Amino acid sequence: LEKLVVIGFMAAGKSTLARNSAERLGWSLADADVVLQERLGEPVSEFFDREGEPAFRARERDVVLELLGTSGPAVIALGGGAVEIDDVRAALADHLVIHVDVDVDTAWARAARSKTNRPLARDRELFEALYKRRLPLYESLSRAVIAGGKEADGASEAALALARPGVPRTARMLWSRAGKGHPVYVGAGVLGAAGALWPGQGRCFVVADEHALALHGEQLLASLSAATAVAGTITIPPGEHHKSLAEAERVLRALARAGMQRSDTLVALGGGVVGDLAGFCAATYQRGVPVVQVPTTVVAQVDSAYGGKTGVDLPEAKNYVGAFHQPAGVLTDPTVLATLPTEELHAGYAEVVKTALIAGAGLWDGVLALPPLERAVEEDLAGLTSVIEDCARTKLAVVAADERDTGIRASLNLGHTLAHALESATGYGRFRHGEAVALGLLAALRISEREVSLDEGVRERVRDLIVANGLPVTFDGPPTDELLDHMGRDKKRRGARRNLVLLRAPGDVAIGVEAPDDVLVSAIDELRA
Ligand SMILES: NC(=O)c1ccc[n+]([C@@H]2O[C@H](COP(=O)([O-])OP(=O)(O)OC[C@H]3O[C@@H](n4cnc5c(N)ncnc54)[C@H](O)[C@@H]3O)[C@@H](O)[C@H]2O)c1
């Protein structure tokens, strides 16, 4: 591999990322637009306006192919439209391509502010149509996706790991901007490439769910051993009741006895229980050591492994002790889901639907097109992988906007107000979390229809998806009064008002909507069997 090629829409921040990357890597830098302008001998906009787009693309094609064809390592930034040239797309297959992602509103605002005269940024409608047409090209050509900005430092080095021997072609990297920034590698075979992709430092200490270790530990440990010394493995028995202070103490003491230092890295292998517990141990051991999350359940791969929330439960309440601690990296391999018991696939599905409702657009369509999870893991790994990746991207984007959970991150609680009440009112013994979330989503969508005009069709689709994935759509259980009491004790509730997270449409979450209790009551009662 010789070239790192940076692509993306106008004003995404490609040039900045390319310049910083070249500097950090000590590679040479070429900005195709700058070279092109030199060759044209006049501003791009003047040539474009006089000669027209086809003539411009022909000149652009020659410059880009020449830059890609020169020898020696280099970082090359392409113009936003270069990917529409067939020969350029073909040539990119030989290089590692990074997509600098930007949303269309930000791109438009930046293009309007900048001094560069961009011929294709003069008309908003045309601009948006162009964005829509090009986005799938950027996505299909790239193996790494980065949201631009200063926090992208380190992203290019992390992306280059994708080109190492042993890393499957299908593996992709998402760059999380939370904290200092870190890579999330997603794809079939990522577990077996953990050593090649290793985002940790020093030796590693593995904290592993018992089942996950028995089924996937050998592959992970063998791969890690190639990159670093595996200095200890601590096993956590399965079950939410092990997400406790007592278990955290056991892990912390085992780490101390094994001589873990701050220069070492903890690896969390397992579902959300181990991810939260090991993450908490990493946040607190010697005031914080890096943790690499290796999620092995649907819940963990679409949700809990990202975002840096770690913690344990108290007998009094779930997740009451914890810390924000961003991982040093996440390794998400959907093939490990093949060994997950059906009911755990089902449980995770509720979070998939929730995330798709929050994201809307492509992810919502992807989820509608995905077969039920137990079939998807066997028959449609590509579709499943893409849904998992999009869920991760959705969560990372929300977290990047609100790391400490003081605003927009509340959108991730869609359906969770009733879910938590159902779980706590029944002492966490009756409903699996996913089952409670499925019911909570249906209630939240029903209330959304009344309060924020959600189209009824959405709830019907969600209901079908939930049924197809083995989750309940009705319940009989604690009286509604009791559930309301438990909602009052939700730690995320602010002041005395009952704030709900509702949905106006897939992709359009309404947070902090105050709904009268009787609307809540009737939505809950409708779900009674
Ligand atoms: N930190 C966050 O942001 C966040 C978000 C959502 C949920 N959570 C937490 O996640 C926890 C739930 O996580 P979960 O649903 O992953 O459950 P879990 O971790 O308990 O795992 C479920 C079961 O699957 C088994 N298992 C794990 N991987 C396997 C594999 N590949 N093959 C076979 N069996 C496997 C485990 O042994 C366990 O029995 C809760 O404690 C919840 O609070 C945290």
Side-chain angles (χ1 to χ4, degrees):
L1 172 104
E2 291 211 313
K3 305 281 184 285
L4 194 68
V5 185
V6 182
I7 63 171
F9 200 60
M10 273 176 267
K14 301 183 290 291
S15 303
T16 312
L17 182 95
R19 199 178 333 108
N20 292 346
S21 304
E23 213 165 276
R24 290 170 67 101
L25 296 166
W27 290 13
S28 70
L29 168 73
D31 192 322
D33 276 352
V34 174
V35 176
L36 186 55
Q37 179 141 325
E38 278 166 19
R39 298 282 168 84
L40 294 174
E42 63 180 324
V44 162
S45 59
E46 276 172 32
F47 181 91
F48 196 100
D49 287 341
R50 194 184 57 246
E51 308 281 331
E53 182 162 356
F56 172 76
R57 295 292 171 216
R59 301 290 291 269
E60 185 178 30
R61 171 194 171 277
D62 295 346
V63 166
V64 172
L65 293 184
E66 183 190 316
L67 291 175
L68 291 175
T70 50
S71 64
V75 181
I76 302 175
L78 301 190
V83 295
E84 299 208 75
I85 304 166
D86 294 343
D87 292 343
V88 168
R89 283 202 305 280
L92 287 179
D94 300 331
H95 304 282
L96 189 73
V97 180
I98 298 184
H99 172 204
V100 182
D101 199 9
V102 66
D103 64 84
V104 69
D105 296 331
T106 308
W108 176 254
R110 283 192 198 149
R113 269 202 314 272
S114 90
K115 290 183 291 291
T116 320
N117 182 357
R118 293 181 158 99
L120 296 173
R122 292 174 188 151
D123 174 275
R124 172 96 197 204
E125 232 170 89
L126 177 77
F127 189 82
E128 287 190 10
L130 209 58
Y131 181 90
K132 248 196 167 150
R133 191 173 77 214
R134 288 180 185 170
L135 193 62
L137 295 175
Y138 300 137
E139 285 293 305
S140 65
L141 291 166
S142 61
R143 290 187 65 199
V145 187
I146 300 171
K150 278 209 293 295
E151 310 87 333
D153 276 0
S156 303
E157 291 94 314
L160 283 178
L162 292 168
R164 293 198 185 122
V167 178
R169 277 293 295 192
T170 48
R172 285 168 59 82
M173 184 197 85
L174 313 174
W175 182 256
S176 162
R177 289 187 293 137
K180 288 181 292 178
H182 62 265
V184 173
Y185 298 105
V186 183
V190 157
L191 192 81
L197 296 168
W198 178 237
Q201 58 177 41
R203 300 171 297 164
C204 79
F205 293 77
V206 181
V207 176
D209 172 88
E210 201 174 289
H211 291 141
L213 186 69
L215 292 159
H216 306 288
E218 208 178 297
Q219 197 189 10
L220 176 70
L221 295 178
S223 174
L224 283 177
S225 308
T228 177
V230 181
T233 304
I234 301 162
T235 313
I236 311 294
E240 178 77 28
H241 57 286
H242 290 285
K243 207 175 103 174
S244 65
L245 277 172
E247 196 70 11
E249 183 181 5
R250 188 178 71 83
V251 172
L252 291 167
R253 292 183 63 185
L255 294 174
R257 279 196 305 274
M260 185 184 192
Q261 299 297 318
R262 272 168 80 176
S263 50
D264 297 323
T265 301
L266 206 147
V267 173
L269 173 73
V273 164
V274 165
D276 282 11
L277 171 72
F280 178 65
C281 293
T284 49
Y285 184 77
Q286 296 187 355
R287 297 193 186 81
V289 293
V291 59
V292 172
Q293 294 282 354
V294 186
T296 63
T297 64
V298 177
V299 169
Q301 293 200 347
V302 303
D303 186 351
S304 66
Y306 323 104
K309 276 194 187 179
T310 73
V312 297
D313 303 331
L314 293 179
E316 285 74 14
K318 248 188 90 152
N319 294 327
Y320 252 44
V321 176
F324 287 100
H325 188 58
Q326 294 293 339
V330 185
L331 301 171
T332 300
D333 186 339
T335 60
V336 305
L337 302 179
T339 60
L340 208 57
T342 310
E343 62 278 16
E344 293 301 338
L345 287 173
H346 290 166
Y349 190 73
E351 305 293 351
V352 174
V353 174
K354 178 200 80 175
T355 311
L357 288 169
I358 294 168
L363 178 52
W364 176 235
D365 292 338
V367 165
L368 289 172
L370 195 71
L373 286 189
E374 61 250 66
R375 272 185 37 220
V377 287
E378 304 287 340
E379 299 163 16
D380 188 11
L381 197 60
L384 177 61
T385 303
S386 138
V387 162
I388 289 171
E389 182 190 323
D390 285 351
C391 286
R393 285 171 76 160
T394 304
K395 174 132 187 209
L396 292 175
V398 174
V399 169
D402 178 19
E403 238 178 272
R404 296 247 151 193
D405 200 3
T406 55
I408 185 84
R409 192 161 174 171
S411 62
L412 298 172
N413 274 343
L414 183 68
H416 280 61
T417 310
L418 175 61
H420 289 151
L422 281 169
E423 290 180 283
S424 67
T426 52
Y428 295 94
R430 170 97 174 261
F431 298 97
R432 291 165 167 276
H433 181 64
E435 293 177 346
V437 172
L439 294 163
L441 279 176
L442 289 173
L445 297 180
R446 190 75 177 110
I447 300 167
S448 299
E449 289 164 8
R450 289 176 195 162
E451 301 294 313
V452 291
S453 314
L454 173 70
D455 185 304
E456 286 188 16
V458 174
R459 187 169 47 95
E460 281 154 22
R461 303 306 297 272
V462 166
R463 203 176 187 284
D464 293 345
L465 292 171
I466 285 176
V467 170
N469 281 276
L471 289 165
V473 291
T474 59
F475 78 106
D476 66 78
T480 303
D481 269 358
E482 214 174 291
L483 292 173
L484 291 183
D485 272 359
H486 281 268
M487 287 181 199
R489 260 187 274 151
D490 187 331
K491 70 175 183 300
K492 282 170 187 141
R493 190 181 155 233
R494 290 246 220 91
R497 296 183 304 217
R498 205 181 292 279
N499 275 342
L500 296 178
V501 179
L502 300 178
L503 191 78
R504 292 188 202 96
D508 187 3
V509 180
I511 56 177
V513 181
E514 259 177 75
D517 269 3
D518 58 339
V519 177
L520 205 60
V521 169
S522 77
I524 293 171
D525 286 341
E526 261 179 50
L527 295 172
R528 292 193 180 275

